[in-house]
Amino acid sequence: AILLVPSNTDVILDGDIVLTPNGYKMYSIIWTEGDNISVKGAGSLTGDKYTHKNKEGDWGMGIYIMGGNKVEISGLTIKDCWGDCIYITNNANNIVIDKCNLLDGRRQGISITSARSVLVKNSIISKVRGTDPGYAIDIEPNKGDTVTVVTVNNVKIFDCYGGILSRGKAENSFIKKINVKNCSIKKIEWCPLNFRFTNAVN
């Protein structure tokens, strides 16, 4: 990670962080780990999707939310990541993504693999494609993980391979209560809404 953000920290990013092209299979421009964290501002994070020096792996993230309670990402532009613009995992709780512009992620706009109470609102996700699955938002717990209560409200999704995917197919994984409202999903190559192995979709 370039910037590690611990508990009880507010980051105001009004400048631009541009990742130096590298060959790492996994990276994170910003890594949050802890409670009561906010990363806000009018700044941007730019990955190395077009300049990456290794063809292996797809885990280059703009922001990696490693668990924690009450984490908010607001106002940022996150683009050109080798993997996902935002990745949420490790039983993260009370996560808010607000007024963000996520574009040109190679794998996903947002991945949610282990979390409770995630709200994505007032944001734009576009041009996500390059490697599977290629969705704007992918709710997909890994083996033994759970995702409960994800709300996507007033989000514009366009020109991506896929729109919103919810798939709880991994062993002992579980997804419950996905709410999608007031969203616009356009120019999708594969599937605008794809809900499989999911309990309670509104």
Side-chain angles (χ1 to χ4, degrees):
I2 294 173
L3 178 61
L4 176 61
V5 184
S7 292
N8 306 311
T9 301
D10 295 328
V11 175
I12 299 176
L13 179 64
D14 286 329
D16 304 317
I17 299 176
V18 179
L19 186 72
T20 300
N22 64 80
Y24 296 125
K25 293 181 181 180
M26 179 178 181
Y27 66 69
S28 177
I29 299 174
I30 292 179
W31 178 293
T32 74
E33 188 168 353
D35 304 331
N36 304 310
I37 293 171
S38 70
V39 183
K40 301 179 180 181
S44 68
L45 307 176
T46 302
D48 65 346
K49 176 179 177 178
Y50 296 104
T51 55
H52 197 69
K53 295 183 177 181
N54 190 337
K55 293 183 179 181
E56 297 181 16
D58 52 13
W59 306 287
M61 313 305 183
I63 297 180
Y64 198 109
I65 299 175
M66 184 64 170
N69 181 50
K70 294 183 179 178
V71 178
E72 181 175 359
I73 311 298
S74 178
L76 301 182
T77 294
I78 306 173
K79 61 183 180 178
D80 297 355
C81 294
W82 181 247
D84 308 342
C85 295
I86 298 175
Y87 188 92
I88 303 169
T89 192
N90 199 35
N91 202 28
N93 186 43
N94 291 326
I95 309 301
V96 176
I97 311 298
D98 185 22
K99 299 182 182 70
C100 287
N101 184 10
L102 312 178
L103 69 151
D104 228 352
R106 178 171 168 262
R107 189 178 72 163
Q108 324 273 32
I110 300 172
S111 285
I112 305 169
T113 66
S114 174
R116 294 173 291 138
S117 186
V118 177
L119 173 60
V120 182
K121 62 178 181 176
N122 308 321
S123 296
I124 299 172
I125 307 175
S126 62
K127 299 182 180 179
V128 176
R129 57 169 44 85
T131 193
D132 291 339
Y135 276 78
I137 300 175
D138 182 9
I139 303 159
E140 189 171 356
N142 296 315
K143 180 178 177 180
D145 285 335
T146 297
V147 177
T148 58
V149 190
V150 175
T151 300
V152 183
N153 186 16
N154 192 33
V155 174
K156 295 180 180 179
I157 296 171
F158 63 91
D159 195 20
C160 298
Y161 178 75
I164 299 175
L165 170 65
S166 177
R167 181 170 59 185
K169 193 176 181 180
E171 182 181 354
N172 296 323
S173 67
F174 185 75
I175 300 173
K176 184 177 180 181
K177 200 169 184 183
I178 308 302
N179 304 299
V180 179
K181 52 187 179 180
N182 305 316
C183 292
S184 172
I185 305 176
K186 298 180 179 180
K187 294 178 65 178
I188 300 302
E189 185 175 336
W190 168 239
C191 189
L193 296 170
N194 189 351
F195 298 106
R196 291 184 285 172
F197 308 99
T198 301
N199 294 295
V201 177
N202 295 319

